Amino acid sequence: MQTEERLIECPCGNWEIMCADEQRHHSQTFEHVRNVGDEAMYKCTCGGVVKSTCVAETA
């Protein structure tokens, strides 16, 4: 079975993995800034802004 996960990773070391089907603004670690196509921009607690990446995960 293959599912998609949304990876959010900041150069400062903060990161989060969430189901790609989950609403993008439901991040627990990052503040959702805006959607960018199938991805989204997030603001980290350090002030950095990063773009998520969706990847296929094989279960």
Side-chain angles (χ1 to χ4, degrees), residues 24-35:
R24 291 174 234 191
H25 65 274
H26 284 178
S27 171
Q28 300 297 308
T29 308
F30 296 85
E31 177 185 341
H32 178 261
V33 176
R34 69 180 179 279
N35 292 338

Side-chain angles (χ1 to χ4, degrees), residues 21-50:
D21 292 340
E22 182 74 25
Q23 293 186 25
R24 291 174 234 191
H25 65 274
H26 284 178
S27 171
Q28 300 297 308
T29 308
F30 296 85
E31 177 185 341
H32 178 261
V33 176
R34 69 180 179 279
N35 292 338
V36 181
D38 290 341
E39 301 297 344
M41 299 299 291
Y42 293 90
K43 185 173 183 179
C44 182
T45 55
C46 76
V49 177
V50 294

